[in-house]
């Protein structure tokens, strides 16, 4: 829009003869079309955000809760949903079959090749296809003839299933191989089979210690913790 002799753009100049070092200032203005496009984009983003805010109307999830953003993310990406009655139940333990469904949702609900082989998984259940698909792809396993429907998933089981899913997707799971999780006071409580997965989950920024500094590998993973770990996984690994 023009050149000026001062940074405040109050002294316009038409020409200058350079006899030594000098600084001149250019004035810029966006053309009207660009301003209109930016305003429209901002309005669209505001509408989307308002719609997302309205969709996340759980009475037990409030701004300021440490899990608010994670729940917002998990629900907004159709990974998790509420428990009915307008609640999310953030402190309720996540059940094993629910996590199988979450991973199935994350993959886009592919059809399994066969029915689930577990005695406690009947074909009429909402989780039947999810468990069948996850099991035949080596993502989840059961306890002999049963899957463990209704049982709360432990934090180490969560890590193992997520680690298996990452390998199924050919994601880089080398992140965290050098992580020293023995620094956690309860690291020796991790089951031998779950150690690599827990090491990966901690090193990749998916899982962290509790407020008391423990990993609590045998503890139940709550729905809030699940939403947080899923968000971390999607943002750090499944890019």
């Amino acid at each position: 829009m023009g050149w000026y002799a001062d940074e405040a753009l109050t002294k316009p100049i038409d020409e200058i003869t350079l006899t030594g070092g000098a600084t001149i200032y250019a004035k810029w203005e966006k053309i009207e079309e660009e301003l209109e496009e930016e305003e429209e984009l901002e309005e669209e983003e505001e509408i989307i955000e308002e719609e997302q805010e309205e969709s996340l109307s759980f009475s037990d999830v409030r701004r300021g809760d440490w899990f608010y953003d994670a729940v917002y993310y998990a629900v907004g990406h159709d990974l998790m949903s509420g428990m009915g009655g307008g609640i999310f139940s953030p402190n309720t333990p996540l059940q094993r079959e629910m996590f199988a469904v979450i991973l199935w949702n994350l993959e886009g609900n592919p059809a399994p090749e066969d029915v689930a082989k577990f005695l406690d998984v009947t074909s009429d259940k909402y989780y039947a296809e999810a468990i069948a698909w996850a099991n035949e792809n080596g993502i989840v396993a059961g306890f002999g003839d049963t899957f463990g429907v209704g049982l709360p998933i432990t934090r180490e089981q969560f890590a193992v299933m997520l680690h298996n899913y990452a390998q199924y997707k050919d994601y880089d799971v080398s992140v965290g191989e050098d992580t020293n999780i023995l620094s956690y006071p309860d690291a020796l409580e991790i089951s031998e089979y779950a150690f690599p997965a827990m090491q990966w989950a901690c090193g990749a920024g998916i899982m962290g210690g509790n407020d008391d500094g423990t990993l609590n590998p045998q503890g139940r993973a709550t729905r809030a913790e699940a939403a947080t770990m899923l968000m971390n996984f999607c943002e750090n690994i499944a890019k």
Side-chain angles (χ1 to χ4, degrees):
M1 302 299 294
W3 297 93
Y4 294 80
D6 62 323
E7 190 172 1
L9 306 180
T10 61
K11 300 176 182 178
I13 55 175
D14 294 325
E15 63 181 45
I16 186 172
T17 301
L18 293 176
T19 59
T23 301
I24 57 175
Y25 301 88
K27 179 180 180 180
W28 301 84
E29 285 186 4
K30 291 185 177 180
I31 60 175
E32 191 64 27
E33 291 180 0
E34 289 180 339
L35 290 174
E36 290 177 357
E37 289 177 0
E38 285 190 0
E39 289 173 357
E40 290 176 0
L41 182 60
E42 288 176 359
E43 288 177 0
E44 290 177 1
E45 290 175 347
E46 288 176 1
I47 292 172
I48 293 173
E49 186 173 344
E50 288 175 1
E51 290 176 348
Q52 290 176 330
E53 289 278 1
E54 291 176 2
S55 68
L56 186 58
S57 56
F58 303 117
S59 60
D60 53 355
V61 179
R62 302 176 182 84
R63 284 191 178 276
D65 291 333
W66 64 268
F67 48 77
Y68 180 87
D69 289 340
V71 171
Y72 193 110
Y73 183 95
V75 173
H77 288 78
D78 297 323
L79 300 178
M80 301 180 72
S81 58
M83 297 290 284
I87 62 174
F88 183 78
S89 296
N91 298 317
T92 298
L94 185 75
Q95 294 177 329
R96 287 171 53 82
E97 67 272 19
M98 289 181 177
F99 190 45
V101 172
I102 289 172
L103 294 177
W104 188 54
N105 290 340
L106 191 60
E107 190 60 18
N109 308 125
E113 296 180 0
D114 203 349
V115 297
K117 64 180 182 180
F118 303 109
L119 297 178
D120 57 347
V121 181
T122 55
S123 58
D124 60 330
K125 300 299 183 182
Y126 76 92
Y127 48 76
E129 285 190 303
I131 292 176
W133 166 80
N135 179 247
E136 65 191 21
N137 285 286
I139 298 170
V140 303
F143 307 102
D145 293 334
T146 61
F147 178 73
V149 170
L151 294 177
I153 190 169
T154 65
R155 285 165 58 83
E156 71 174 16
Q157 290 172 356
F158 190 103
V160 168
M161 292 184 189
L162 197 59
H163 187 246
N164 290 342
Y165 176 72
Q167 291 178 309
Y168 166 78
K169 294 292 290 183
D170 288 329
Y171 294 144
D172 181 10
V173 294
S174 63
V175 178
E177 288 181 351
D178 297 328
T179 303
N180 181 21
I181 59 174
L182 292 176
S183 60
Y184 291 97
D186 58 347
L188 296 181
E189 296 178 15
I190 301 172
S191 300
E192 184 177 354
Y193 80 94
F195 205 90
M198 289 289 286
Q199 190 174 29
W200 165 77
C202 291
I206 297 169
M207 179 183 293
N210 295 323
D211 291 340
D212 60 359
T214 62
L215 272 178
N216 193 22
Q218 304 300 329
R220 300 173 175 180
T222 66
R223 287 170 52 81
E225 290 174 336
T228 301
M229 290 187 283
L230 284 167
M231 180 180 69
N232 292 340
F233 172 77
C234 291
E235 293 185 341
N236 297 339
I237 304 299
K239 297 179 180 178

